[in-house]
Amino acid sequence: MADVLPLVEARLRTALGEPDARAAVTFLGTDRVEVLRFTEEDVVRYATLGMSAHPMNDPTAMVADPVKGPRAELVLSVRRGVADTDKALRPLAVLAASPQVEGVVVAPGGSLDVGEPLWPGAPFTSVLVGEPGGLVEDLELDDPLDPVRFLPLLPMTPNEAAWKRVHGAQALQERWLARGTDLRDPLRRPVALD
């Protein structure tokens, strides 16, 4: 079976250009996860590379399937030059390793929490997982492998995360849209939730 990571990196380069930096993190008992940085004029994007090496499996399954199951990588987009967002590399690697470490299946509408600011001074400790297919198209793999989906991450403040748990991901996204929230602003204030 072919290694999917070179194909994933090629898809990221096709969609986002050449990365201008990369960092690797290895957690005890997990495979290495890299985070690639892609810089445009006023936006910097961070994409994980390594999460899709293995399929994500239902944590309640008796045996993990080594072939079938969803595969994904994470993409975070923020405004450039406003905050020290390069410090988000380790938290992003932690989130990408969560399927291996915690046995979670990362999917659109879900929340991921790192328990600390995503970067110094960030008002966000968690992210909402967005729908794939916008920025980076899914990467189809040979049968029987599931495609790799590139999931955008939308930073949430603790209050937004709590509100999302009660009202749902769709309601929070509608609130952001109705209020004109700039989700790429690394220092944005929480959206009004009243």
Side-chain angles (χ1 to χ4, degrees):
M1 186 142 325
D3 183 7
V4 303
L5 295 184
L7 301 173
V8 170
E9 184 168 355
R11 175 57 54 94
L12 287 168
R13 287 173 185 265
T14 299
L16 304 176
E18 287 298 312
D20 59 6
R22 65 192 311 145
V25 179
T26 304
F27 303 99
L28 186 62
T30 67
D31 292 337
R32 176 173 129 146
V33 174
E34 290 188 80
V35 180
L36 285 61
R37 184 181 70 191
F38 301 87
T39 306
E40 292 180 18
E41 292 175 10
D42 65 338
V43 175
V44 62
R45 301 185 199 287
Y46 302 95
T48 63
L49 179 63
M51 182 176 167
S52 62
H54 304 286
M56 295 179 277
N57 287 281
D58 182 346
T60 63
M62 294 295 285
V63 178
D65 189 325
V67 177
K68 291 292 289 171
R71 294 173 187 260
E73 296 291 352
L74 308 175
V75 180
L76 173 69
S77 301
V78 292
R79 297 253 175 256
R80 186 174 165 213
V82 179
D84 189 9
T85 56
D86 280 351
K87 297 286 197 270
L89 299 177
R90 184 167 177 75
L92 284 174
V94 167
L95 296 177
S98 62
Q100 287 184 60
V101 174
E102 300 172 23
V104 299
V105 175
V106 178
S111 301
L112 299 171
D113 195 320
V114 293
E116 61 185 35
L118 292 173
W119 52 82
F124 319 107
T125 59
S126 62
V127 293
L128 174 65
V129 181
E131 291 291 334
L135 187 61
V136 183
E137 289 182 26
D138 291 354
L139 173 64
E140 296 295 330
L141 301 173
D142 294 335
D143 278 337
L145 304 180
D146 288 16
V148 177
R149 302 169 83 194
F150 298 88
L151 303 172
L153 300 180
L154 310 171
M156 294 187 294
T157 66
N159 284 347
E160 290 169 339
W163 197 84
K164 181 252 176 200
R165 281 190 294 275
V166 173
H167 300 281
Q170 184 65 36
L172 178 58
Q173 289 177 309
E174 288 171 2
R175 178 65 54 110
W176 282 336
L177 187 60
R179 304 292 161 106
T181 305
D182 180 2
L183 296 175
R184 293 182 180 172
D185 180 353
L187 298 175
R188 74 170 176 83
R189 299 185 52 77
V191 70
L193 299 171
D194 51 1

PDB file of all heavy atoms in Angstrom, residues 140-156:
ATOM      1  N   GLU A 140      -8.487  12.048  -3.421  1.00  0.00           N
ATOM      2  CA  GLU A 140      -8.991  10.690  -3.627  1.00  0.00           C
ATOM      3  C   GLU A 140      -7.814   9.721  -3.605  1.00  0.00           C
ATOM      4  O   GLU A 140      -6.776   9.984  -4.218  1.00  0.00           O
ATOM      5  CB  GLU A 140      -9.733  10.582  -4.961  1.00  0.00           C
ATOM      6  CG  GLU A 140     -10.991  11.436  -5.036  1.00  0.00           C
ATOM      7  CD  GLU A 140     -12.081  11.013  -4.059  1.00  0.00           C
ATOM      8  OE1 GLU A 140     -12.165   9.816  -3.738  1.00  0.00           O
ATOM      9  OE2 GLU A 140     -12.852  11.889  -3.625  1.00  0.00           O
ATOM     10  N   LEU A 141      -7.991   8.602  -2.914  1.00  0.00           N
ATOM     11  CA  LEU A 141      -6.976   7.555  -2.842  1.00  0.00           C
ATOM     12  C   LEU A 141      -7.515   6.290  -3.492  1.00  0.00           C
ATOM     13  O   LEU A 141      -8.721   6.138  -3.676  1.00  0.00           O
ATOM     14  CB  LEU A 141      -6.595   7.290  -1.379  1.00  0.00           C
ATOM     15  CG  LEU A 141      -6.035   8.484  -0.593  1.00  0.00           C
ATOM     16  CD1 LEU A 141      -5.874   8.117   0.873  1.00  0.00           C
ATOM     17  CD2 LEU A 141      -4.713   8.950  -1.179  1.00  0.00           C
ATOM     18  N   ASP A 142      -6.623   5.373  -3.823  1.00  0.00           N
ATOM     19  CA  ASP A 142      -7.037   4.105  -4.420  1.00  0.00           C
ATOM     20  C   ASP A 142      -7.888   3.315  -3.433  1.00  0.00           C
ATOM     21  O   ASP A 142      -7.648   3.333  -2.227  1.00  0.00           O
ATOM     22  CB  ASP A 142      -5.818   3.274  -4.817  1.00  0.00           C
ATOM     23  CG  ASP A 142      -5.020   3.923  -5.940  1.00  0.00           C
ATOM     24  OD1 ASP A 142      -5.618   4.709  -6.715  1.00  0.00           O
ATOM     25  OD2 ASP A 142      -3.812   3.649  -6.046  1.00  0.00           O
ATOM     26  N   ASP A 143      -8.869   2.583  -3.993  1.00  0.00           N
ATOM     27  CA  ASP A 143      -9.673   1.694  -3.150  1.00  0.00           C
ATOM     28  C   ASP A 143      -8.762   0.691  -2.459  1.00  0.00           C
ATOM     29  O   ASP A 143      -7.785   0.262  -3.052  1.00  0.00           O
ATOM     30  CB  ASP A 143     -10.707   0.950  -4.002  1.00  0.00           C
ATOM     31  CG  ASP A 143     -11.952   1.797  -4.260  1.00  0.00           C
ATOM     32  OD1 ASP A 143     -12.208   2.719  -3.469  1.00  0.00           O
ATOM     33  OD2 ASP A 143     -12.648   1.530  -5.250  1.00  0.00           O
ATOM     34  N   PRO A 144      -9.035   0.350  -1.227  1.00  0.00           N
ATOM     35  CA  PRO A 144     -10.229   0.642  -0.431  1.00  0.00           C
ATOM     36  C   PRO A 144     -10.056   1.848   0.494  1.00  0.00           C
ATOM     37  O   PRO A 144     -10.828   2.019   1.423  1.00  0.00           O
ATOM     38  CB  PRO A 144     -10.377  -0.639   0.379  1.00  0.00           C
ATOM     39  CG  PRO A 144      -8.959  -1.057   0.657  1.00  0.00           C
ATOM     40  CD  PRO A 144      -8.193  -0.679  -0.585  1.00  0.00           C
ATOM     41  N   LEU A 145      -9.047   2.689   0.263  1.00  0.00           N
ATOM     42  CA  LEU A 145      -8.776   3.817   1.165  1.00  0.00           C
ATOM     43  C   LEU A 145      -9.792   4.934   0.985  1.00  0.00           C
ATOM     44  O   LEU A 145     -10.170   5.278  -0.142  1.00  0.00           O
ATOM     45  CB  LEU A 145      -7.378   4.360   0.918  1.00  0.00           C
ATOM     46  CG  LEU A 145      -6.211   3.381   1.042  1.00  0.00           C
ATOM     47  CD1 LEU A 145      -4.894   4.095   0.762  1.00  0.00           C
ATOM     48  CD2 LEU A 145      -6.182   2.746   2.418  1.00  0.00           C
ATOM     49  N   ASP A 146     -10.214   5.522   2.092  1.00  0.00           N
ATOM     50  CA  ASP A 146     -11.080   6.700   2.054  1.00  0.00           C
ATOM     51  C   ASP A 146     -10.258   7.904   1.598  1.00  0.00           C
ATOM     52  O   ASP A 146      -9.039   7.943   1.795  1.00  0.00           O
ATOM     53  CB  ASP A 146     -11.651   6.986   3.445  1.00  0.00           C
ATOM     54  CG  ASP A 146     -12.707   5.988   3.877  1.00  0.00           C
ATOM     55  OD1 ASP A 146     -12.800   4.914   3.263  1.00  0.00           O
ATOM     56  OD2 ASP A 146     -13.436   6.280   4.833  1.00  0.00           O
ATOM     57  N   PRO A 147     -10.904   8.926   1.030  1.00  0.00           N
ATOM     58  CA  PRO A 147     -10.166  10.123   0.625  1.00  0.00           C
ATOM     59  C   PRO A 147      -9.649  10.894   1.840  1.00  0.00           C
ATOM     60  O   PRO A 147     -10.173  10.769   2.945  1.00  0.00           O
ATOM     61  CB  PRO A 147     -11.204  10.946  -0.138  1.00  0.00           C
ATOM     62  CG  PRO A 147     -12.526  10.442   0.319  1.00  0.00           C
ATOM     63  CD  PRO A 147     -12.330   9.013   0.719  1.00  0.00           C
ATOM     64  N   VAL A 148      -8.616  11.693   1.597  1.00  0.00           N
ATOM     65  CA  VAL A 148      -8.110  12.596   2.626  1.00  0.00           C
ATOM     66  C   VAL A 148      -8.885  13.909   2.494  1.00  0.00           C
ATOM     67  O   VAL A 148      -8.954  14.498   1.412  1.00  0.00           O
ATOM     68  CB  VAL A 148      -6.593  12.858   2.463  1.00  0.00           C
ATOM     69  CG1 VAL A 148      -6.112  13.870   3.499  1.00  0.00           C
ATOM     70  CG2 VAL A 148      -5.819  11.553   2.565  1.00  0.00           C
ATOM     71  N   ARG A 149      -9.459  14.353   3.611  1.00  0.00           N
ATOM     72  CA  ARG A 149     -10.207  15.608   3.638  1.00  0.00           C
ATOM     73  C   ARG A 149      -9.371  16.655   4.374  1.00  0.00           C
ATOM     74  O   ARG A 149      -8.755  16.351   5.386  1.00  0.00           O
ATOM     75  CB  ARG A 149     -11.551  15.396   4.339  1.00  0.00           C
ATOM     76  CG  ARG A 149     -12.385  14.322   3.658  1.00  0.00           C
ATOM     77  CD  ARG A 149     -13.569  13.930   4.493  1.00  0.00           C
ATOM     78  NE  ARG A 149     -14.647  14.883   4.255  1.00  0.00           N
ATOM     79  CZ  ARG A 149     -15.720  14.993   5.018  1.00  0.00           C
ATOM     80  NH1 ARG A 149     -15.859  14.244   6.082  1.00  0.00           N
ATOM     81  NH2 ARG A 149     -16.652  15.861   4.729  1.00  0.00           N
ATOM     82  N   PHE A 150      -9.353  17.860   3.847  1.00  0.00           N
ATOM     83  CA  PHE A 150      -8.590  18.950   4.435  1.00  0.00           C
ATOM     84  C   PHE A 150      -9.582  19.844   5.181  1.00  0.00           C
ATOM     85  O   PHE A 150     -10.367  20.564   4.569  1.00  0.00           O
ATOM     86  CB  PHE A 150      -7.823  19.709   3.349  1.00  0.00           C
ATOM     87  CG  PHE A 150      -6.821  18.823   2.660  1.00  0.00           C
ATOM     88  CD1 PHE A 150      -7.183  18.056   1.562  1.00  0.00           C
ATOM     89  CD2 PHE A 150      -5.526  18.740   3.141  1.00  0.00           C
ATOM     90  CE1 PHE A 150      -6.263  17.224   0.940  1.00  0.00           C
ATOM     91  CE2 PHE A 150      -4.597  17.917   2.526  1.00  0.00           C
ATOM     92  CZ  PHE A 150      -4.971  17.147   1.429  1.00  0.00           C
ATOM     93  N   LEU A 151      -9.543  19.747   6.514  1.00  0.00           N
ATOM     94  CA  LEU A 151     -10.556  20.375   7.363  1.00  0.00           C
ATOM     95  C   LEU A 151     -10.077  21.732   7.876  1.00  0.00           C
ATOM     96  O   LEU A 151      -9.067  21.810   8.579  1.00  0.00           O
ATOM     97  CB  LEU A 151     -10.872  19.453   8.537  1.00  0.00           C
ATOM     98  CG  LEU A 151     -11.359  18.048   8.161  1.00  0.00           C
ATOM     99  CD1 LEU A 151     -11.454  17.176   9.408  1.00  0.00           C
ATOM    100  CD2 LEU A 151     -12.698  18.114   7.447  1.00  0.00           C
ATOM    101  N   PRO A 152     -10.810  22.803   7.548  1.00  0.00           N
ATOM    102  CA  PRO A 152     -10.439  24.109   8.088  1.00  0.00           C
ATOM    103  C   PRO A 152     -10.760  24.189   9.580  1.00  0.00           C
ATOM    104  O   PRO A 152     -11.750  23.619  10.048  1.00  0.00           O
ATOM    105  CB  PRO A 152     -11.290  25.093   7.289  1.00  0.00           C
ATOM    106  CG  PRO A 152     -12.421  24.293   6.747  1.00  0.00           C
ATOM    107  CD  PRO A 152     -11.955  22.871   6.641  1.00  0.00           C
ATOM    108  N   LEU A 153      -9.897  24.884  10.308  1.00  0.00           N
ATOM    109  CA  LEU A 153     -10.101  25.091  11.739  1.00  0.00           C
ATOM    110  C   LEU A 153     -10.496  26.539  11.976  1.00  0.00           C
ATOM    111  O   LEU A 153      -9.840  27.462  11.484  1.00  0.00           O
ATOM    112  CB  LEU A 153      -8.821  24.772  12.517  1.00  0.00           C
ATOM    113  CG  LEU A 153      -8.294  23.346  12.393  1.00  0.00           C
ATOM    114  CD1 LEU A 153      -7.027  23.194  13.224  1.00  0.00           C
ATOM    115  CD2 LEU A 153      -9.352  22.332  12.831  1.00  0.00           C
ATOM    116  N   LEU A 154     -11.558  26.750  12.749  1.00  0.00           N
ATOM    117  CA  LEU A 154     -12.070  28.081  13.054  1.00  0.00           C
ATOM    118  C   LEU A 154     -11.897  28.316  14.548  1.00  0.00           C
ATOM    119  O   LEU A 154     -12.572  27.689  15.365  1.00  0.00           O
ATOM    120  CB  LEU A 154     -13.546  28.175  12.662  1.00  0.00           C
ATOM    121  CG  LEU A 154     -13.871  27.701  11.230  1.00  0.00           C
ATOM    122  CD1 LEU A 154     -15.368  27.633  11.011  1.00  0.00           C
ATOM    123  CD2 LEU A 154     -13.195  28.584  10.204  1.00  0.00           C
ATOM    124  N   PRO A 155     -10.960  29.197  14.942  1.00  0.00           N
ATOM    125  CA  PRO A 155     -10.702  29.415  16.367  1.00  0.00           C
ATOM    126  C   PRO A 155     -11.936  29.909  17.114  1.00  0.00           C
ATOM    127  O   PRO A 155     -12.684  30.750  16.618  1.00  0.00           O
ATOM    128  CB  PRO A 155      -9.601  30.482  16.371  1.00  0.00           C
ATOM    129  CG  PRO A 155      -8.930  30.331  15.046  1.00  0.00           C
ATOM    130  CD  PRO A 155     -10.027  29.956  14.097  1.00  0.00           C
ATOM    131  N   MET A 156     -12.139  29.355  18.319  1.00  0.00           N
ATOM    132  CA  MET A 156     -13.273  29.734  19.173  1.00  0.00           C
ATOM    133  C   MET A 156     -12.772  30.204  20.528  1.00  0.00           C
ATOM    134  O   MET A 156     -11.844  29.618  21.091  1.00  0.00           O
ATOM    135  CB  MET A 156     -14.202  28.540  19.433  1.00  0.00           C
ATOM    136  CG  MET A 156     -14.933  27.998  18.253  1.00  0.00           C
ATOM    137  SD  MET A 156     -16.162  26.726  18.731  1.00  0.00           S
ATOM    138  CE  MET A 156     -15.136  25.408  19.344  1.00  0.00           C
TER     139      MET A 156
END
